[in-house]
Amino acid sequence: MTDQQPGHGNCLLEVRGLTKVFGELRANDGIDLEIKSNEIHALLGENGAGKSTLVKMLFGSLEPTSGQIFWKDKPVRITSPGQARALGIGMVFQHFSLFEALTVAENIALSMDQDVSIEGIAEQAAVLSREYGLPLDPHAHVADLSVGERQRIEIVRTLLQNPELIILDEPTSVLTPQEADRLFETLAKIRAEGRSVLYISHRLEEVQRICDRATVLRHGKLTGACDPRLETPASLATMMVGSEVKSVSNAGGAITDEILIETRNLSAPARTPFAVSLKEVNLKVRRGEIIGIAGVAGNGQSELFDVLSGEETVPDPDDVRICGTGVGRMGISARRLLGAGFVPEERHGHAAVSDMTLSQNMVLARHHSDADVFLTGGPLKIIRYDAVKKASERIVREMDVRMSGEDPVASSLSGGNLQKFIVGRELDRQPSVLIVNQPTWGVDAGAASRIRQALIDLAESGSAVVVISQDLDEIFEVATSIAVLNEGALSEAEPASMMTLERIGLLMGGIHGEDTKVEAQHAH
Amino acid sequence: MRIELEKRPAHSALFSMLSPFIALGLTIIAGAILFTALGKNPFDALYSFFIEPLTELWSLHELLIKAAPLILIAVGLSVCFRSNNWNIGAEGQFIMGGVVGSIVPIYFHEWNSFVVLPLMLIMGMIGGALYAGIPALLKTRFNTNEILSSLMLVYVAELFLDWLVRGPWRNPEGFNFPESRSFNDSAVLPELFPASGGANLGIVFALIATLLTWFMMRHMLKGFEVSVLGQSARAGRFAGFSSTKMIFFAFLFSGALAGLAGISEVSGAIGRLQPDISPAYGFTAIIVAFLGRLNPLGIFAAGIILALTYLGGEAAQISIGLPDKVARVFQGFLLFFVLACDTLIHYRVRLVTAIKARTEGEGAS
C-alpha cells in the first residue's frame, strides 16, 4: 500500500467495542481489533468463541448490535457482502460454495458483480493463478478437482475482486501438509503486495509460523492480542481456553492378536456421480489397537464409514467382519448388537437430530441396543424417558458436557459439547468396536483433547478403534498404526512410530498433475 | 424503510401457540373485507357464518357430522406429513374407502347381521390404505413425486365412483338415478343421540383415532421413528430406521384413516353410494392438519373450526344469500394465513428504518 499514513497508525481495518447480541447470548462482547496494512493477522479462538460472528459482521452478513468499524480510519457501516467487497474486503469461507457440475471459470463468473465474459474470466484467472503460485485450469470441472484445488478457486475468485483485506476461515483444515505449505507461500506473496490477511485458525503451530500478530477470543470476549512468534503454543492455548489444555497421554495398552474389525478386499461402487468408490479395502484392527485413517476430505472417508457402520450394506457378508461375525449384509442396529459403536462425521442431521433433545438423541442411537432399559416390552415399545434421561445425564456428567437447561435440544449446544455427548453416547455402552469419522472436526481444543483421551482409554480397556480423520496431529496423537485413504483405496497400515508427516503426505497424493502424485504412485 | 425477516436462534414457543389464532383473526378480517366487497354487511355475514350454526342443538349435531371425517383424515395426514411424506390424495382414499366398504351392503343387501358394520369399516380402511399404497409403491420403486401421484389418483377415484353408481352398482329399483341401493339398517352407522339430532359414531372414531395417534407420537418408538425420519433421513438411517418402510407406513396409516372416514360418511351420513360423497373433505383436511399444527389434539379442535365454515357457508347462503363457494374461499384464506403465520415461528419481522438506511449509504461512499 502506498498511501500509508503514519499519523493514523496505518490501520487498514479497526474495530472498536463491537458487540453482537443474539437474544440472551452475547456472541461478541466489546471486541477491539486492529489490522494493519501489510500483515497476516491471526484470529484465534475455540469453537463458539465468536470468531465466525465477528467475521460475519466484518463481511456484512450480520449487523452489529453496537460498536464501530473503521475502514482506513473512516467509520463505515457494512450491511451486505456486496458492500464489503466494494470496500475491498474479500472472504474465503471454510465451506466452499461451488457448483460441482460447472467449470472453474463458470464458478468464478457466478460470483462476479459485473458482467464479464467467461473467456475473459478464464484468462484473468489463469494469469492470477500463475502469479500467485496457485496452479488451476480454468476449464476443469469442479467435480474433478481436489479439495485443495477447490480452495484455490475460492482464493482466486476473491483475488479477482482486488481486495485489500482477505479473510480466510480455517483454510488448512482440508489440506495436505504439502498443500498447506503452498498456501502459506501464496499468503506471503499476498502480503508482499501490500494486502492484509485475517487468518482464522485454531492450529497454533501454523499461526506461529505465518502470522505477524494474533487476536484471541474466548466466550465472545477479547482475551489477548500478541505477536504469536513470541508466545509458546501452551501460552496461546491458555489464552484460547482459559486454562492449560490437558495433553493426551498414550501409554499404549496391550494389543492382542484377536481381530475385532476386518474388511477383506472390500469394494463398493460410488452411489452418486460425486461419491467415491471403495477399491479393495483391507483393514484389520486388533483388540487394543487404534488405527488412524488419514486422508484429504472426499477420498472415500464417509463411504468407508457407511459400509463399516452398516448404513450401506454389501452383498458378501464376509467383506466386513465385526467381532468374528460376517456383517456385510446386516444393518446398523444388528451391528450395534454385536458390540459396535459409531460416531459419524456430521453432527447435525446424522449423528443427532438438531431439533430433538439430548435424551431423544439418546434414543436415536441406542433404542435397539438398550431396548431392555429404554423401552417397555411388548409390541407397543413405549419409550421410558425416565430411564433415557438418567442415561443421558450420566453421559453429560461423564464427558463434562456444558449446556443450558435440563435437557436442551441438540442445536443449542456448541459443536464441541454436542460432539462430547455423541462420543459419550457410544462410550457409555463400552463398545468392543468403535468407528469414528472426524471425531474432533470443528471442536474446541479442550473438548478435542477430552475426546481423544477417551478413545485411547477405550482401546486400552480392550476395544478396537478406527479413527478416520483429516487432522494429522490427531492421528499421531491417538493412533497405534496409521493407514492412508486416497481415492477410495487404503494403504497398508504401518505402525505410528514409523510414520512421518512426509510419508503420509505422499500417500495422500497431491494435487492432480503434480510431482507429489507421481511420487505417491511410486510409493505404493 | 424496508421490512426484513431475521431468523430466530431457536423457534419461538410463543408464536408456535399463537400463530393459528393470528391466522384465524386475519382470516376473519379478510372475510369481512370480502363480504363488504360483495355488498353485504360484514357483521351480519360473520354472524351467520360463525355464530348462527352454534345456536341450535340440531346444527351442533351437524357440526359433529362434518367434523368427524375432517378430523379422521387430518389425524392420519399429520403422521404422514410429520414423516416428510406428502399425501395430497386423501380425497381419493376417502372415496375408495367408501367404495370398498360398500361392497358388502350392496352385494349382500339382504344380509342383516351385527357383523356387517364392522366388516364394512374394516374393508373401508383396507380400501383407503391400499389406494394410498399406490403412491407409496411408486415413490419407493421409481422415486416418483408422491404429491403429484397421490393428487392425480383423486381424479381416478372420483371417476371410478361415478362409473360405479351410474353403471354396475346403480339401484335396479331406483328409477335410473345415479345411486346405489340404500343400505339396510345393519349397515348404517348408529346415531349417538337420535332424540336430538343425527350425529353418529363417526365422531367417536375421530376421538379414538386422535387419542391413539397422540399416544403413538408422544410415547411410542414408532412415533419417534416418524419424527426422526421426517426431520432427517440420514439420522434415521443412523438410528437403523428404514425410510422405505416409513413411506409405506405413513401412506397406509393415513390411507386407512381416510378410508374409515369415507365408509363412515357413506354409511352414517348418506346411507348409500352416490356420485358425490365428499364436499372435498380430503383436501380441507390438509388445512385442518396444518391449523392443528400436525398435533392430533390440535387437529381435533381445528377440525371443528373447519366444520363450522362448511355449516356457516350453508347458513350464509340461506340467510343472506351468499354463494356457497364463499365457504371454500374462506378455507383458502385460512390455509394461506396459517402457512404465512408459521413464518413468525422461525423468523422475527424487523423494520429497518430510514435513518439506518442513510448511514449505510454514507458508509458505502
Side-chain angles (χ1 to χ4, degrees):
Chain A
M1 185 150 341
T2 49
D3 59 347
Q4 283 177 11
Q5 295 164 334
H8 290 277
N10 65 21
C11 267
L12 182 64
L13 181 90
E14 193 180 346
V15 164
R16 286 278 160 254
L18 207 63
T19 299
K20 179 71 189 178
V21 182
F22 293 112
E24 301 275 290
L25 177 79
R26 298 179 83 83
N28 271 187
D29 193 355
I31 303 289
D32 296 335
L33 170 72
E34 275 178 23
I35 300 173
K36 298 199 175 103
S37 308
N38 254 329
E39 73 168 356
I40 300 181
H41 192 110
L43 184 59
L44 273 170
E46 294 192 298
N47 262 76
K51 289 173 301 187
S52 309
T53 307
L54 176 57
V55 167
K56 277 182 187 160
M57 287 193 286
L58 296 182
F59 196 58
S61 337
L62 274 179
E63 211 172 322
T65 311
S66 65
Q68 189 53 265
I69 301 172
F70 299 88
W71 177 253
K72 297 182 186 165
D73 301 320
K74 278 193 217 109
V76 289
R77 199 169 187 106
I78 305 171
T79 55
S80 71
Q83 197 192 338
R85 279 197 290 269
L87 285 175
I89 301 175
M91 170 127 189
V92 177
F93 288 95
Q94 185 179 8
H95 300 287
F96 310 144
S97 42
L98 297 170
F99 292 93
E100 298 205 327
L102 299 183
T103 65
V104 171
E106 284 165 342
N107 266 289
I108 293 174
L110 278 172
S111 69
M112 304 291 275
D113 291 335
Q114 63 276 54
D115 274 339
V116 192
S117 73
I118 302 271
E119 263 321 299
I121 285 172
E123 233 165 78
Q124 281 184 43
V127 170
L128 268 180
S129 66
R130 262 199 310 280
E131 245 172 57
Y132 288 94
L134 298 164
L136 201 58
D137 172 9
H139 300 292
H141 284 268
V142 172
D144 303 331
L145 300 182
S146 71
V147 182
E149 288 170 302
R150 292 178 195 206
Q151 187 180 56
R152 291 176 186 176
I153 306 176
E154 293 275 4
I155 294 174
V156 165
R157 91 176 168 187
T158 307
L159 283 172
L160 272 175
Q161 315 272 2
N162 198 21
E164 289 172 67
L165 172 66
I166 298 177
I167 303 172
L168 290 157
D169 193 2
E170 305 263 356
T172 53
S173 58
V174 292
L175 302 181
T176 63
Q178 285 88 348
E179 286 175 323
D181 283 342
R182 300 199 81 140
L183 174 70
F184 297 152
E185 283 167 28
T186 305
L187 293 183
K189 205 157 212 161
I190 289 171
R191 172 176 53 187
E193 286 182 342
R195 304 178 205 266
S196 299
V197 175
L198 181 60
Y199 188 87
I200 302 167
S201 184
H202 61 258
R203 292 196 179 169
L204 304 175
E205 176 263 336
E206 63 188 39
V207 164
Q208 286 190 301
R209 184 166 147 203
I210 62 164
C211 295
D212 305 305
R213 288 194 312 137
T215 297
V216 189
L217 299 185
R218 181 169 82 233
H219 299 321
K221 290 201 175 84
L222 191 75
T223 52
C226 58
D227 180 344
R229 286 165 198 168
L230 305 178
E231 302 284 332
T232 63
S235 67
L236 283 174
T238 307
M239 276 189 248
M240 270 166 71
V241 298
S243 59
E244 301 273 347
V245 178
K246 248 198 0 229
S247 64
V248 175
S249 74
N250 195 346
I255 297 174
T256 68
D257 282 340
E258 191 186 349
I259 295 170
L260 295 184
I261 312 167
E262 187 178 6
T263 68
R264 297 177 183 169
N265 287 329
L266 170 66
S267 295
R271 291 189 305 278
T272 66
F274 300 122
V276 176
S277 59
L278 295 175
K279 299 172 191 85
E280 302 198 345
V281 172
N282 281 300
L283 178 71
K284 277 194 182 73
V285 194
R286 293 166 295 173
R287 186 181 285 283
E289 202 173 19
I290 301 183
I291 289 223
I293 297 184
V296 174
N299 271 295
Q301 282 92 340
S302 51
E303 288 84 356
L304 179 62
F305 179 85
D306 284 355
V307 292
L308 289 178
S309 72
E311 289 173 80
E312 294 294 331
T313 52
V314 288
D316 184 350
D318 283 330
D319 274 6
V320 182
R321 296 174 68 84
I322 290 179
C323 302
T325 309
V327 296
R329 305 174 73 153
M330 287 184 186
I332 188 166
S333 291
R335 295 187 195 195
R336 284 190 175 118
L337 281 186
L338 288 172
F342 306 98
V343 178
E345 172 181 8
E346 192 62 47
R347 287 184 280 276
H348 291 286
H350 191 174
V353 179
S354 313
D355 286 341
M356 287 192 167
T357 62
L358 289 188
S359 53
Q360 284 174 315
N361 275 301
M362 189 75 187
V363 179
L364 184 81
R366 291 176 50 177
H367 62 89
H368 203 71
S369 51
D370 295 60
D372 48 340
V373 184
F374 287 177
L375 303 176
T376 59
L380 285 186
K381 293 190 179 173
I382 295 165
I383 301 172
R384 296 175 53 188
Y385 274 111
D386 50 338
V388 176
K389 280 212 175 88
K390 220 173 272 166
S392 58
E393 274 161 20
R394 188 170 64 226
I395 288 162
V396 164
R397 224 173 24 245
E398 200 66 36
M399 294 299 289
D400 185 30
V401 178
R402 313 270 173 86
M403 59 195 200
S404 57
E406 184 92 326
D407 191 13
V409 294
S411 59
S412 71
L413 266 65
S414 74
N417 281 310
L418 183 57
Q419 187 71 2
K420 282 194 279 189
F421 181 81
I422 290 167
V423 173
R425 184 173 71 182
E426 305 301 326
L427 295 176
D428 184 57
R429 286 174 50 214
Q430 287 292 322
S432 41
V433 162
L434 184 68
I435 294 163
V436 293
N437 191 4
Q438 320 298 348
T440 59
W441 169 257
V443 162
D444 58 80
S449 83
R450 172 138 207 144
I451 289 169
R452 289 171 192 161
Q453 187 64 56
L455 296 177
I456 290 168
D457 294 347
L458 181 71
E460 278 174 8
S461 74
S463 302
V465 181
V466 176
V467 177
I468 305 171
S469 178
Q470 293 167 42
D471 188 337
L472 294 179
D473 298 341
E474 170 167 277
I475 295 229
F476 276 111
E477 222 170 304
V478 302
T480 51
S481 19
I482 298 173
V484 176
L485 193 62
N486 182 29
E487 296 185 353
L490 190 69
S491 73
E492 189 102 5
E494 295 174 38
S497 48
M498 293 166 65
M499 272 286 195
T500 60
L501 263 184
E502 286 65 39
R503 171 129 183 81
I504 290 183
L506 291 179
L507 287 171
M508 278 178 172
I511 288 163
H512 296 263
E514 278 179 285
D515 300 343
T516 47
K517 173 102 175 218
V518 181
E519 284 168 26
Q521 276 161 353
H522 287 310
H524 276 296
Chain B
M1 197 173 81
R2 64 177 194 272
I3 299 170
E4 269 186 0
L5 288 179
E6 193 180 74
K7 195 149 174 62
R8 296 175 192 272
H11 74 87
S12 156
L14 175 71
F15 277 102
S16 229
M17 290 285 293
L18 277 184
S19 106
F21 296 101
I22 298 174
L24 219 51
L26 290 171
T27 307
I28 288 173
I29 294 169
I33 294 170
L34 175 76
F35 294 138
T36 315
L38 286 169
K40 310 286 177 193
N41 179 335
F43 296 101
D44 288 351
L46 286 173
Y47 176 82
S48 59
F49 226 95
F50 286 109
I51 313 291
E52 206 180 305
L54 299 175
T55 52
E56 287 186 61
L57 198 54
W58 69 267
S59 67
L60 288 177
H61 275 266
E62 289 301 306
L63 191 68
L64 295 184
I65 291 176
K66 292 269 191 284
L70 289 176
I71 294 166
L72 269 177
I73 301 169
V75 163
L77 288 180
S78 73
V79 171
C80 204
F81 293 165
R82 276 213 183 276
S83 73
N84 202 21
N85 286 298
W86 301 96
N87 177 5
I88 308 298
E91 178 80 359
Q93 294 137 28
F94 177 94
I95 292 171
M96 289 313 256
V99 166
V100 175
S102 300
I103 292 175
V104 172
I106 288 175
Y107 282 109
F108 306 95
H109 54 93
E110 281 165 11
W111 185 24
N112 265 301
S113 164
F114 68 93
V115 290
V116 171
L117 194 62
L119 193 61
M120 286 167 63
L121 296 175
I122 289 168
M123 286 177 69
M125 289 175 78
I126 292 173
L130 288 182
Y131 204 59
I134 299 172
L137 186 73
L138 293 174
K139 182 176 182 180
T140 51
R141 275 293 155 83
F142 306 111
N143 206 15
T144 26
N145 183 323
E146 75 275 21
I147 298 176
L148 292 177
S149 56
S150 64
L151 177 63
M152 289 190 292
L153 283 167
V154 171
Y155 306 111
V156 176
E158 282 176 349
L159 293 169
F160 180 64
L161 170 65
D162 199 74
W163 171 75
L164 275 179
V165 294
R166 287 175 205 279
W169 285 10
R170 189 175 54 197
N171 184 358
E173 292 132 38
F175 310 103
N176 264 344
F177 277 107
E179 288 172 358
S180 76
R181 284 177 189 282
S182 293
F183 295 176
N184 69 38
D185 286 349
S186 69
V188 170
L189 213 56
E191 292 175 357
L192 289 175
F193 312 103
S196 57
N200 56 42
L201 268 181
I203 191 71
V204 178
F205 296 158
L207 186 63
I208 294 171
T210 301
L211 293 176
L212 289 183
T213 307
W214 174 82
F215 184 80
M216 176 183 82
M217 293 302 292
R218 186 69 188 266
H219 293 288
M220 283 165 57
L221 187 64
K222 194 75 202 172
F224 180 74
E225 187 181 336
V226 170
S227 315
V228 168
L229 283 168
Q231 289 180 45
S232 166
R234 192 86 207 267
R237 208 168 54 176
F238 179 68
F241 300 143
S242 154
S243 295
T244 311
K245 284 184 191 155
M246 180 50 65
I247 291 170
F248 277 105
F249 174 78
F251 271 88
L252 296 185
F253 183 86
S254 60
L257 285 185
L260 177 63
I263 187 59
S264 301
E265 178 76 6
V266 170
S267 150
I270 306 173
R272 68 173 94 79
L273 270 187
Q274 58 191 39
D276 203 1
I277 58 171
S278 161
Y281 283 138
F283 293 116
T284 309
I286 297 171
I287 309 178
V288 173
F290 279 102
L291 187 62
R293 307 223 55 79
L294 301 184
N295 175 330
L297 302 180
I299 285 171
F300 197 87
I304 291 183
I305 292 170
L306 263 293
L308 189 59
T309 63
Y310 275 114
L311 286 190
E314 287 171 17
Q317 198 179 353
I318 297 162
S319 58
I320 51 175
L322 278 173
D324 64 338
K325 291 283 180 276
V326 170
R328 305 294 290 281
V329 174
F330 236 88
Q331 292 172 358
F333 277 158
L334 194 54
L335 178 62
F336 178 82
F337 285 122
V338 165
L339 296 180
C341 286
D342 276 3
T343 309
L344 294 172
I345 299 170
H346 296 286
Y347 294 88
R348 208 192 316 268
V349 178
R350 221 174 42 141
L351 289 179
V352 178
T353 56
I355 303 161
K356 265 188 184 169
R358 202 168 59 231
T359 38
E360 279 161 19
E362 283 167 8
S365 61

